[in-house]
Amino acid sequence: MPDSRVPRPRRFLVCEPRHFAVQYAINPWMHPDADVDVDLARDQWAALIGAYRAHGHTVDTVEPVADLPDMVFAANSALVLAGRVFGSYFHAPERRPESTAYETWFKAAGFDVYRPESVCEGEGDLVPVGRYVLAGTGFRTTPEAHREVQEFFGVPVVSLQLVDPRFYHLDTALFVLDDGPEANIAYYPEAFSPGSREVLARLFPDAVLATREDAFTFGLNSVSDGRHVFIAPRAEALADRLARHGYVPVPVDLSEFHKAGGGIKCCTQEIRS
């Protein structure tokens, strides 16, 4: 298998889990009576940031806001593509104030921000890869938002139907391995409708397929820089498969965030200039 995969430096936006907690239930992983170790969560998050910086990536931070326990999941805040920001409009009322907090950061950083009219949860359901934006629907982001994304960016949007509520966002069931000329993905087929599985198989015939065990340990909520894959340690089968394809797994434990249905990618917004 190739050992010449080249990483591309990335710019990430993250939010410290200063106020992280499970205070409500908006996905099957969340239980308000769950005991969250905030100190452990902060240590795990810091380890992720350290891993990104150790591999040459730039990390910006947005100030967390009290009473927004899910603001740590920065990926849901927007899709940033070619220096343009398509903001968020959350399905759950509890999370809607996050949109304003992130919009404030983006504007202060010099970006204009488009506010969607339809429910849209940023990179949670919008995944740029190659010539397309893969767009999830079924539980959060609506098909109407997919049309808004295509009109805003002028990039073909491929709608994918999610069918298992445990994989409520696209980024829990699929991630991009390489978005260059040989764009490729990893995904868990059973998270998608039959038609969507056929679309993915046609677009990405060489995709890396994950097992049920990989998916349920948040192995698909990973971040790749084209060579290094920041991945949940328990997704061992997927890590082995990636290594055989020439990628270098970088295990980072974010298990405390799994209690809220999130992981590595959920905590990571990519700013594409």
Side-chain angles (χ1 to χ4, degrees), residues 114-267:
Y114 174 86
R115 284 192 174 190
E117 297 177 2
S118 309
V119 170
C120 187
E121 302 201 350
E123 285 191 329
D125 278 320
L126 303 172
V127 179
V129 53
R131 298 183 293 116
Y132 306 102
V133 172
L134 304 182
T137 192
F139 301 103
R140 301 288 184 86
T141 299
T142 65
E144 291 77 14
H146 295 182
R147 290 191 282 273
E148 283 189 73
V149 169
Q150 181 164 282
E151 289 299 312
F152 181 72
F153 290 114
V155 174
V157 171
V158 178
S159 292
L160 301 169
Q161 185 75 30
L162 296 163
V163 297
D164 186 330
R166 290 164 294 189
F167 305 101
Y168 58 94
H169 272 157
L170 185 60
D171 73 358
T172 64
L174 177 153
F175 73 97
V176 178
L177 286 167
D178 195 329
D179 55 6
E182 298 181 3
N184 202 11
I185 63 172
Y187 69 99
Y188 174 52
E190 297 304 314
F192 298 92
S193 68
S196 295
R197 291 200 295 270
E198 288 189 25
V199 169
L200 289 170
R202 287 174 183 271
L203 290 178
F204 305 100
D206 298 320
V208 177
L209 303 184
T211 66
R212 184 179 187 274
E213 290 72 20
D214 294 328
F216 277 78
T217 55
F218 289 82
L220 279 304
N221 197 242
S222 297
V223 171
S224 172
D225 64 13
R227 175 172 172 80
H228 308 101
V229 179
F230 303 88
I231 188 170
R234 292 177 60 200
E236 295 178 357
L238 179 56
D240 289 345
R241 200 167 296 118
L242 292 172
R244 291 198 297 271
H245 282 76
Y247 296 95
V248 180
V250 180
V252 183
D253 182 11
L254 257 64
S255 55
E256 203 63 18
F257 297 93
H258 298 177
K259 297 174 181 178
I264 292 170
K265 176 55 191 172
C266 288
C267 291

Side-chain angles (χ1 to χ4, degrees), residues 21 27 32 62 70 103 113 149 167 208 232 240:
N27 67 59
V62 60
D70 282 343
E103 181 176 330
V113 180
V149 169
F167 305 101
V208 177
D240 289 345

